[in-house]
mmCIF file of all heavy atoms in Angstrom:
data_model
loop_
_atom_site.group_PDB
_atom_site.id
_atom_site.type_symbol
_atom_site.label_atom_id
_atom_site.label_comp_id
_atom_site.label_asym_id
_atom_site.label_seq_id
_atom_site.Cartn_x
_atom_site.Cartn_y
_atom_site.Cartn_z
ATOM 1 N N THR A 58 10.413 7.175 0.166
ATOM 2 C CA THR A 58 9.574 5.896 0.606
ATOM 3 C C THR A 58 9.823 5.572 2.156
ATOM 4 O O THR A 58 10.853 6.024 2.685
ATOM 5 C CB THR A 58 9.979 4.723 -0.257
ATOM 6 O OG1 THR A 58 11.371 4.463 -0.062
ATOM 7 C CG2 THR A 58 9.583 4.979 -1.667
ATOM 8 N N TRP A 59 8.923 4.855 2.656
ATOM 9 C CA TRP A 59 9.090 4.399 3.950
ATOM 10 C C TRP A 59 8.447 2.848 4.034
ATOM 11 O O TRP A 59 7.613 2.703 3.347
ATOM 12 C CB TRP A 59 8.213 5.225 4.996
ATOM 13 C CG TRP A 59 8.110 4.491 6.356
ATOM 14 C CD1 TRP A 59 8.868 4.514 7.374
ATOM 15 C CD2 TRP A 59 6.981 3.683 6.718
ATOM 16 N NE1 TRP A 59 8.459 3.782 8.461
ATOM 17 C CE2 TRP A 59 7.259 3.240 8.078
ATOM 18 C CE3 TRP A 59 5.806 3.240 6.171
ATOM 19 C CZ2 TRP A 59 6.356 2.298 8.811
ATOM 20 C CZ3 TRP A 59 5.003 2.305 6.792
ATOM 21 C CH2 TRP A 59 5.197 1.955 8.102
ATOM 22 N N TYR A 60 9.166 1.998 4.693
ATOM 23 C CA TYR A 60 8.711 0.647 4.894
ATOM 24 C C TYR A 60 8.603 0.259 6.400
ATOM 25 O O TYR A 60 9.487 0.651 7.161
ATOM 26 C CB TYR A 60 9.706 -0.233 4.164
ATOM 27 C CG TYR A 60 9.755 -0.100 2.695
ATOM 28 C CD1 TYR A 60 10.852 0.741 2.146
ATOM 29 C CD2 TYR A 60 8.909 -0.615 1.865
ATOM 30 C CE1 TYR A 60 10.959 1.019 0.843
ATOM 31 C CE2 TYR A 60 8.969 -0.396 0.368
ATOM 32 C CZ TYR A 60 10.015 0.365 0.011
ATOM 33 O OH TYR A 60 10.087 0.521 -1.364
ATOM 34 N N ALA A 61 7.613 -0.538 6.689
ATOM 35 C CA ALA A 61 7.587 -1.198 8.015
ATOM 36 C C ALA A 61 8.654 -2.173 8.085
ATOM 37 O O ALA A 61 9.225 -2.751 7.231
ATOM 38 C CB ALA A 61 6.186 -1.922 8.098
ATOM 39 N N ASP A 62 9.295 -2.205 9.341
ATOM 40 C CA ASP A 62 10.312 -3.046 9.619
ATOM 41 C C ASP A 62 10.125 -4.367 9.205
ATOM 42 O O ASP A 62 11.070 -5.204 8.732
ATOM 43 C CB ASP A 62 10.765 -2.980 11.112
ATOM 44 C CG ASP A 62 11.297 -1.706 11.561
ATOM 45 O OD1 ASP A 62 11.794 -0.931 10.795
ATOM 46 O OD2 ASP A 62 11.429 -1.387 12.807
ATOM 47 N N SER A 63 8.937 -4.974 9.236
ATOM 48 C CA SER A 63 8.614 -6.377 8.922
ATOM 49 C C SER A 63 8.871 -6.646 7.491
ATOM 50 O O SER A 63 8.781 -7.782 7.074
ATOM 51 C CB SER A 63 7.145 -6.631 9.448
ATOM 52 O OG SER A 63 6.273 -5.794 8.810
ATOM 53 N N VAL A 64 8.806 -5.634 6.605
ATOM 54 C CA VAL A 64 8.800 -5.965 5.172
ATOM 55 C C VAL A 64 10.005 -5.277 4.486
ATOM 56 O O VAL A 64 10.350 -5.525 3.397
ATOM 57 C CB VAL A 64 7.601 -5.381 4.437
ATOM 58 C CG1 VAL A 64 6.322 -6.017 5.064
ATOM 59 C CG2 VAL A 64 7.510 -3.752 4.434
ATOM 60 N N LYS A 65 10.832 -4.517 5.270
ATOM 61 C CA LYS A 65 11.979 -3.811 4.795
ATOM 62 C C LYS A 65 12.952 -4.887 4.155
ATOM 63 O O LYS A 65 13.231 -5.821 4.754
ATOM 64 C CB LYS A 65 12.712 -3.022 5.915
ATOM 65 C CG LYS A 65 13.545 -1.819 5.510
ATOM 66 C CD LYS A 65 13.980 -1.061 6.634
ATOM 67 C CE LYS A 65 12.837 -0.303 7.351
ATOM 68 N NZ LYS A 65 13.316 0.539 8.476
ATOM 69 N N GLY A 66 13.420 -4.532 2.933
ATOM 70 C CA GLY A 66 14.396 -5.405 2.271
ATOM 71 C C GLY A 66 13.645 -6.449 1.457
ATOM 72 O O GLY A 66 14.286 -7.076 0.539
ATOM 73 N N ARG A 67 12.397 -6.731 1.573
ATOM 74 C CA ARG A 67 11.561 -7.605 0.934
ATOM 75 C C ARG A 67 10.576 -7.074 -0.087
ATOM 76 O O ARG A 67 10.309 -7.574 -1.150
ATOM 77 C CB ARG A 67 10.937 -8.656 1.780
ATOM 78 C CG ARG A 67 11.855 -9.405 2.777
ATOM 79 C CD ARG A 67 11.122 -10.436 3.668
ATOM 80 N NE ARG A 67 10.078 -9.894 4.468
ATOM 81 C CZ ARG A 67 8.842 -10.142 4.386
ATOM 82 N NH1 ARG A 67 8.380 -11.039 3.456
ATOM 83 N NH2 ARG A 67 7.933 -9.644 5.198
ATOM 84 N N PHE A 68 9.961 -5.936 0.245
ATOM 85 C CA PHE A 68 8.919 -5.285 -0.406
ATOM 86 C C PHE A 68 9.494 -3.987 -1.099
ATOM 87 O O PHE A 68 10.348 -3.354 -0.483
ATOM 88 C CB PHE A 68 7.679 -4.803 0.424
ATOM 89 C CG PHE A 68 6.985 -6.094 0.907
ATOM 90 C CD1 PHE A 68 7.402 -7.392 0.806
ATOM 91 C CD2 PHE A 68 5.660 -5.853 1.578
ATOM 92 C CE1 PHE A 68 6.526 -8.449 1.274
ATOM 93 C CE2 PHE A 68 4.949 -6.957 2.008
ATOM 94 C CZ PHE A 68 5.344 -8.176 1.836
ATOM 95 N N THR A 69 8.965 -3.623 -2.186
ATOM 96 C CA THR A 69 9.315 -2.395 -2.902
ATOM 97 C C THR A 69 8.081 -1.679 -3.322
ATOM 98 O O THR A 69 7.169 -2.216 -4.189
ATOM 99 C CB THR A 69 10.224 -2.634 -3.967
ATOM 100 O OG1 THR A 69 11.381 -3.225 -3.633
ATOM 101 C CG2 THR A 69 10.745 -1.296 -4.687
ATOM 102 N N ILE A 70 7.856 -0.366 -2.970
ATOM 103 C CA ILE A 70 6.735 0.411 -3.369
ATOM 104 C C ILE A 70 7.286 1.271 -4.563
ATOM 105 O O ILE A 70 8.453 1.889 -4.396
ATOM 106 C CB ILE A 70 6.176 1.205 -2.236
ATOM 107 C CG1 ILE A 70 4.809 1.890 -2.676
ATOM 108 C CG2 ILE A 70 7.212 2.271 -1.639
ATOM 109 C CD1 ILE A 70 4.151 2.588 -1.553
ATOM 110 N N SER A 71 6.365 1.479 -5.458
ATOM 111 C CA SER A 71 6.788 2.364 -6.666
ATOM 112 C C SER A 71 5.400 2.933 -7.226
ATOM 113 O O SER A 71 4.388 2.465 -6.979
ATOM 114 C CB SER A 71 7.609 1.604 -7.752
ATOM 115 O OG SER A 71 6.734 0.522 -8.281
ATOM 116 N N ARG A 72 5.623 3.835 -8.166
ATOM 117 C CA ARG A 72 4.529 4.558 -8.797
ATOM 118 C C ARG A 72 4.837 4.908 -10.111
ATOM 119 O O ARG A 72 5.950 5.410 -10.414
ATOM 120 C CB ARG A 72 3.997 5.706 -7.876
ATOM 121 C CG ARG A 72 2.884 6.529 -8.609
ATOM 122 C CD ARG A 72 2.395 7.643 -7.664
ATOM 123 N NE ARG A 72 1.380 8.446 -8.269
ATOM 124 C CZ ARG A 72 1.551 9.567 -8.792
ATOM 125 N NH1 ARG A 72 2.771 10.001 -8.937
ATOM 126 N NH2 ARG A 72 0.511 10.193 -9.275
ATOM 127 N N ASP A 73 3.971 4.623 -11.035
ATOM 128 C CA ASP A 73 4.005 5.048 -12.468
ATOM 129 C C ASP A 73 3.099 6.141 -12.711
ATOM 130 O O ASP A 73 1.861 5.934 -12.791
ATOM 131 C CB ASP A 73 3.693 3.804 -13.464
ATOM 132 C CG ASP A 73 4.057 4.239 -14.911
ATOM 133 O OD1 ASP A 73 3.820 5.291 -15.231
ATOM 134 O OD2 ASP A 73 4.353 3.300 -15.579
ATOM 135 N N SER A 74 3.593 7.377 -12.702
ATOM 136 C CA SER A 74 2.735 8.585 -12.764
ATOM 137 C C SER A 74 2.035 8.687 -14.212
ATOM 138 O O SER A 74 0.803 9.138 -14.194
ATOM 139 C CB SER A 74 3.542 9.902 -12.541
ATOM 140 O OG SER A 74 4.500 10.038 -13.530
ATOM 141 N N ALA A 75 2.619 8.131 -15.141
ATOM 142 C CA ALA A 75 1.999 8.157 -16.469
ATOM 143 C C ALA A 75 0.776 7.308 -16.471
ATOM 144 O O ALA A 75 -0.246 7.652 -17.166
ATOM 145 C CB ALA A 75 2.956 7.774 -17.586
ATOM 146 N N LYS A 76 0.870 6.145 -15.871
ATOM 147 C CA LYS A 76 -0.257 5.221 -15.695
ATOM 148 C C LYS A 76 -1.168 5.508 -14.508
ATOM 149 O O LYS A 76 -2.282 4.781 -14.354
ATOM 150 C CB LYS A 76 0.194 3.780 -15.667
ATOM 151 C CG LYS A 76 0.959 3.322 -16.922
ATOM 152 C CD LYS A 76 1.374 1.908 -16.921
ATOM 153 C CE LYS A 76 2.044 1.487 -18.148
ATOM 154 N NZ LYS A 76 2.566 0.058 -18.087
ATOM 155 N N ASN A 77 -0.708 6.399 -13.621
ATOM 156 C CA ASN A 77 -1.454 6.688 -12.391
ATOM 157 C C ASN A 77 -1.792 5.417 -11.570
ATOM 158 O O ASN A 77 -2.792 5.134 -11.150
ATOM 159 C CB ASN A 77 -2.850 7.433 -12.777
ATOM 160 C CG ASN A 77 -3.096 8.416 -11.567
ATOM 161 O OD1 ASN A 77 -2.241 8.716 -10.861
ATOM 162 N ND2 ASN A 77 -4.432 8.965 -11.641
ATOM 163 N N THR A 78 -0.638 4.607 -11.509
ATOM 164 C CA THR A 78 -0.773 3.244 -10.764
ATOM 165 C C THR A 78 0.338 3.193 -9.831
ATOM 166 O O THR A 78 1.469 3.547 -9.933
ATOM 167 C CB THR A 78 -0.666 2.200 -11.863
ATOM 168 O OG1 THR A 78 -1.702 2.318 -12.866
ATOM 169 C CG2 THR A 78 -0.682 0.887 -11.183
ATOM 170 N N LEU A 79 0.012 2.659 -8.579
ATOM 171 C CA LEU A 79 0.761 2.337 -7.547
ATOM 172 C C LEU A 79 1.028 0.867 -7.592
ATOM 173 O O LEU A 79 0.211 0.056 -7.735
ATOM 174 C CB LEU A 79 0.087 2.778 -6.253
ATOM 175 C CG LEU A 79 0.973 2.625 -4.910
ATOM 176 C CD1 LEU A 79 2.101 3.633 -4.784
ATOM 177 C CD2 LEU A 79 0.090 2.870 -3.694
ATOM 178 N N TYR A 80 2.275 0.468 -7.242
ATOM 179 C CA TYR A 80 2.726 -0.893 -7.126
ATOM 180 C C TYR A 80 3.328 -1.191 -5.840
ATOM 181 O O TYR A 80 3.910 -0.459 -5.091
ATOM 182 C CB TYR A 80 3.815 -1.144 -8.375
ATOM 183 C CG TYR A 80 3.334 -0.928 -9.662
ATOM 184 C CD1 TYR A 80 3.760 0.321 -10.267
ATOM 185 C CD2 TYR A 80 2.379 -1.775 -10.307
ATOM 186 C CE1 TYR A 80 3.205 0.574 -11.577
ATOM 187 C CE2 TYR A 80 1.990 -1.524 -11.473
ATOM 188 C CZ TYR A 80 2.406 -0.376 -12.203
ATOM 189 O OH TYR A 80 2.062 -0.040 -13.505
ATOM 190 N N LEU A 81 3.247 -2.540 -5.456
ATOM 191 C CA LEU A 81 3.929 -3.143 -4.364
ATOM 192 C C LEU A 81 4.524 -4.435 -4.883
ATOM 193 O O LEU A 81 3.809 -5.394 -5.025
ATOM 194 C CB LEU A 81 3.053 -3.333 -3.145
ATOM 195 C CG LEU A 81 3.778 -3.781 -1.826
ATOM 196 C CD1 LEU A 81 4.686 -2.658 -1.384
ATOM 197 C CD2 LEU A 81 2.805 -4.243 -0.785
ATOM 198 N N GLN A 82 5.928 -4.406 -5.042
ATOM 199 C CA GLN A 82 6.516 -5.697 -5.286
ATOM 200 C C GLN A 82 6.977 -6.401 -4.036
ATOM 201 O O GLN A 82 7.592 -5.772 -3.196
ATOM 202 C CB GLN A 82 7.821 -5.325 -6.205
ATOM 203 C CG GLN A 82 8.737 -6.543 -6.477
ATOM 204 C CD GLN A 82 7.926 -7.596 -7.436
ATOM 205 O OE1 GLN A 82 7.309 -7.112 -8.444
ATOM 206 N NE2 GLN A 82 8.158 -8.867 -7.196
#
Side-chain angles (χ1 to χ4, degrees):
T58 58
W59 167 85
Y60 297 93
D62 287 343
S63 58
V64 307
K65 205 172 291 184
R67 301 187 297 121
F68 289 12
T69 304
I70 189 172
S71 62
R72 179 175 175 259
D73 185 330
S74 59
K76 295 182 179 180
N77 215 10
T78 300
L79 182 71
Y80 301 100
L81 185 68
Q82 177 66 41

